[in-house]
Amino acid sequence: MRLTSVWTSVVQVFSFLTFSSPEDGANDLSSQRPQVPIALEDAVHHTLSPPSSFHHHHPIPPSSNNVNVDGDEVVPLYTGGKERSYMVNDHPVVGTPKSPQEGGPGGGLNCHYPDMQDWEPCYGPENRTCWLKHKYDEGKRIDIMTDYENEWEIPKGKVRKFYLEVSEQPISPDGATMEHGKVFNRTYPGPWLEACWGDWLEVTVKNNLRWNGTSVHWHGFRQFESFHMDGVNGITECPIAPGDTFTYRFRAMQYGSAWYHSHYSLQYGDGLLGPITIYGPSTSNFEENEAFKPLLLTDWNHRSVFEDWPLMLESGVAPSMTNILINGVGQFGSHTPDKYTLFLDDGKKHLLILINTAVDTTFVFSIDNHTLEVVEMDFVPIVPYNTTNLKIGIGQRYHVLVHGLQNPYEAERYGNYWMRVKPARKCSKFPYGPDEQMGIIRYNTSYQTMEGSAPDPMSEPPLYETTCADEPLEKLIPKIPWTVGNPVNIDPNVDPTTLPPNKRYIFNVGLTMSGGPNTSTPYIPDDQAYARWDMHVAPFRINFSDPTLLSLSSLPSLITQPHLDIVTLPTVDPNLDKWIWMVITAPDKVPSEGARIFFPAAHPIHLHGHDFAVLRQSSKNWYDDPDIGHVGEGKRWFTPDKLNCENELLDCENPTRRDVVLLPASGYVVVAFKADNPGAWILHCHIAFHASSGLAMQIIENKDLIPAIMEKDKPAIEDRCRKWREWHGEPRNLWDWQEPKHFQDDSGV
């Protein structure tokens, strides 16, 4: 998609509704009681009606907020504004603690477990660590210590359905119009999708675009035995063609918050994203009805990312950003929206969810004079710790409890405090300093009726570091401990430089001069060689029409194509505790590899399908640097025979684990994950321009187990590809129909 495609490139509108389960028992979910439809006027604002085929055979009540369960009993879909848990028809209902400030159809979501008659709820303000307890076995609980990666230990929830549509419109989140906005549900950000621990989600996406496909990734979801629903076109699927519809089906085995976004080229950078919360326990208590919807923190431009992309390709440097937004609200110029505002209660704890959805910026979040108690990161509950500020990399998420002040008018006479979102130094690029005072915390509720005239805070920020970094690893202690095992993919007696590309485990991030006239490479544009980011053999580039999962029978041939950057893992029994280790480096000038260019830059690295354990994160160079007399830490401490848990410099006892880690500039990370989730997974930088440039690779895990797992859904995936190929094969459908090869001018992801 070149600059021309900006005018019609994908815009996603996710129209969010909940519906009953179809009668066909898709994905063997028919045994799970579906969520009966709620009245359309009770759904999230700006909804679009679904096709009639999605309506239940029973009529929808004209103004109902109820869900039918066994017998004649009726259970409210929402709490009605009063958080409470109770039993109905011998099955548990767990109420969730949404703040009344968030509006909506009637309070927090009620979590229904109709197939768990031997259990009762135990979640509430007095005990947030417990979710369900057994009626007849006092010591048996489903709680904060339950292994959420074991499908047999988590609660058995319901099927919850969402219908989403895709379109395009100008948007003005900060008062200045960006003509080529790509939004969900005619709003930016997209609707907040809510479900419960153990639920099955079915999300139907329709693409109403004229010129481009799309796909939707569910960031951070493990996708256990549903790898083909991961939403990465060219790897797990073909794009959804214009006019086509596809339903993603997967289970919420983890709990916490994340975001969903397009994985088609750069689309999410123009607004194609939204938050998602899976309700479950917490490692610390907080009061009832004191949970706010997620705060999406993002950088923003008044240009489309597709306008910026040619500039990035030409210069090799990501473009400057213009502004910062909280939940799609920012200020620019004279006609701007009011600051994003939350009201706190004196002396109470409030759950705040922070998600970095930026394209190029790490943020440091703080609230003047307030303590943040961190309880979860990236779907991983952690031992709580207190801080005044929080570093959040792109794609990372945190659940924090904001401690309400006992006397909020003592430190600030009006009881108003700034919420600050600062760009981290050397992990951001703004031509001038953006406004860091991005939101307001108020205690005086009378200001709710004083739109535009309530006084601004006069609070001052504390002093803290804003360097480009993750939160310190020693603070991020998972509540459920893991002990990492030695790697099955590293032979201590083999020099890693002698390994074939698909068996490597050390990956160097850099730039490669690639493409150009009279070359056999697939890169576009091809009028000259361009500097593109990569981390393995060559800059990554997928084929929209030929996804990896449908081509595994030709894997030996795929491996020989450098731009597919395939790594194949050893075949192991996924039920055994087997570990894959990887080293990812960001060298400065070394090693010398012909056309490759190395210079220091930090990269948020995201792995699909797994949480990885961070065994080491260092800002020191992995390789030797003779110019400064540096002996690389790789040669000094981490030769193949020392890449194991006997090395005290590697943390194998309950290390930090998450799905996004910051690769320090000039440094390296050593990560490990269990080989227990067969599939084709992408590992990539979450700076959107870097991923589009080619900073990605794909990992094939337990290849022989993949066909049986996806057998039932394979016809739907093949049908989707057939429709895509038909659409893409007609040149008149393409934005540059005279030069069809121009259609894909980036990696595709």
Side-chain angles (χ1 to χ4, degrees), residues 340-634:
Y340 194 89
T341 301
L342 295 174
F343 288 84
L344 302 189
D345 296 317
D346 303 12
K348 292 186 176 181
K349 290 184 181 182
H350 309 72
L351 177 63
L352 203 60
I353 300 165
L354 305 172
I355 306 175
N356 186 335
T357 60
V359 299
D360 190 41
T361 305
T362 292
F363 293 117
V364 185
F365 177 88
S366 66
I367 302 174
D368 293 353
N369 295 85
H370 284 71
T371 296
L372 308 176
E373 182 182 356
V374 187
V375 297
E376 185 175 304
M377 62 172 179
D378 294 11
F379 277 147
V380 178
I382 63 174
V383 177
Y385 72 94
N386 291 344
T387 185
T388 59
N389 62 92
L390 195 62
K391 295 181 175 70
I392 313 173
I394 302 172
Q396 293 179 346
R397 298 90 64 203
Y398 286 93
H399 279 206
V400 301
L401 301 182
V402 181
H403 292 211
L405 301 178
Q406 293 291 345
N407 188 353
Y409 304 96
E410 182 177 5
E412 208 276 2
R413 64 179 297 186
Y414 297 110
N416 303 321
Y417 299 87
W418 288 118
M419 266 192 294
R420 300 182 188 270
V421 183
K422 296 184 179 183
R425 291 188 295 112
K426 298 184 179 180
C427 269
S428 57
K429 190 178 181 184
F430 291 84
Y432 46 83
D435 183 6
E436 68 181 45
Q437 299 170 342
M438 289 306 306
I440 299 176
I441 293 293
R442 301 189 189 276
Y443 285 86
N444 188 340
T445 56
S446 65
Y447 292 144
Q448 289 177 312
T449 60
M450 299 172 59
E451 185 174 348
S453 60
D456 281 346
M458 296 185 292
S459 59
E460 295 291 335
L463 295 177
Y464 51 79
E465 279 287 340
T466 59
T467 53
C468 179
D470 276 339
E471 281 291 286
L473 296 184
E474 61 268 20
K475 291 185 177 181
L476 304 176
I477 305 172
K479 185 68 175 178
I480 302 174
W482 278 9
T483 297
V484 176
N486 286 329
V488 297
N489 63 318
I490 297 177
D491 188 330
N493 301 310
V494 174
D495 181 348
T497 62
T498 66
L499 294 171
N502 66 302
K503 299 298 182 181
R504 293 177 187 168
Y505 56 86
I506 299 177
F507 307 99
N508 303 314
V509 171
L511 285 162
T512 298
M513 298 303 297
S514 53
N518 303 316
T519 65
S520 59
T521 61
Y523 307 114
I524 298 296
D526 58 1
D527 58 314
Q528 65 181 57
Y530 290 90
R532 293 178 171 89
W533 284 99
D534 69 18
M535 66 183 304
H536 190 25
V537 183
F540 186 67
R541 189 181 192 273
I542 52 88
N543 181 342
F544 284 138
S545 300
D546 191 17
T548 302
L549 281 182
L550 295 183
S551 305
L552 290 179
S553 60
S554 304
L555 186 58
S557 174
L558 298 181
I559 290 171
T560 65
Q561 300 179 48
H563 61 278
L564 293 180
D565 289 293
I566 292 175
V567 171
T568 55
L569 302 184
T571 299
V572 299
D573 184 342
N575 297 311
L576 300 178
D577 195 32
K578 301 299 182 182
W579 291 84
I580 303 299
W581 287 29
M582 292 184 169
V583 178
I584 307 168
T585 81
D588 180 4
K589 297 183 292 184
V590 289
S592 176
E593 296 187 8
R596 294 198 85 194
I597 306 166
F598 294 95
F599 63 88
H603 303 271
I605 301 297
H606 175 46
L607 174 63
H608 290 210
H610 292 275
D611 290 335
F612 48 66
V614 184
L615 308 185
R616 186 173 174 86
Q617 184 179 43
S618 174
S619 59
K620 302 296 184 181
N621 207 319
W622 179 265
Y623 295 99
D624 295 346
D625 190 342
D627 291 346
I628 62 173
H630 171 74
V631 179
E633 293 193 351

Side-chain angles (χ1 to χ4, degrees), residues 1-10 168 182 209-213 242 264-265 267 306-307 309-310 313 524-525 541 544 724 727-746:
M1 291 175 292
R2 280 189 175 175
L3 179 59
T4 314
S5 69
V6 170
W7 302 100
T8 46
S9 77
V10 88
E168 183 172 20
K182 298 158 181 62
L209 303 174
R210 173 63 180 89
W211 301 104
N212 279 294
Y264 182 106
S265 187
Q267 288 175 354
F306 294 103
E307 292 175 293
W309 169 244
L313 194 60
I524 298 296
R541 189 181 192 273
F544 284 138
W724 167 259
W727 180 87
H728 186 257
E730 172 50 66
R732 288 175 296 181
N733 288 334
L734 309 183
W735 59 266
D736 190 353
W737 60 272
Q738 292 179 313
E739 290 287 347
K741 71 177 184 179
H742 289 169
F743 181 78
Q744 183 185 342
D745 64 353
D746 71 353

Side-chain angles (χ1 to χ4, degrees), residues 113 116 119 131-134 139-157 197-200 222 224 251-255 281 480-482 674:
Y113 296 100
M116 301 190 69
W119 297 79
W131 195 247
L132 298 172
K133 62 181 180 180
H134 202 275
K140 194 172 183 181
R141 292 172 179 255
I142 298 175
D143 61 12
I144 198 72
M145 298 305 297
T146 298
D147 181 5
Y148 48 79
E149 293 202 337
N150 187 332
E151 62 178 327
W152 304 109
E153 292 191 18
I154 66 175
K156 190 177 182 181
W197 189 16
D199 282 348
W200 284 262
R222 188 169 177 238
F224 180 67
R251 193 178 184 193
M253 295 182 64
Q254 305 129 293
Y255 51 86
I480 302 174
W482 278 9
K674 297 178 185 177

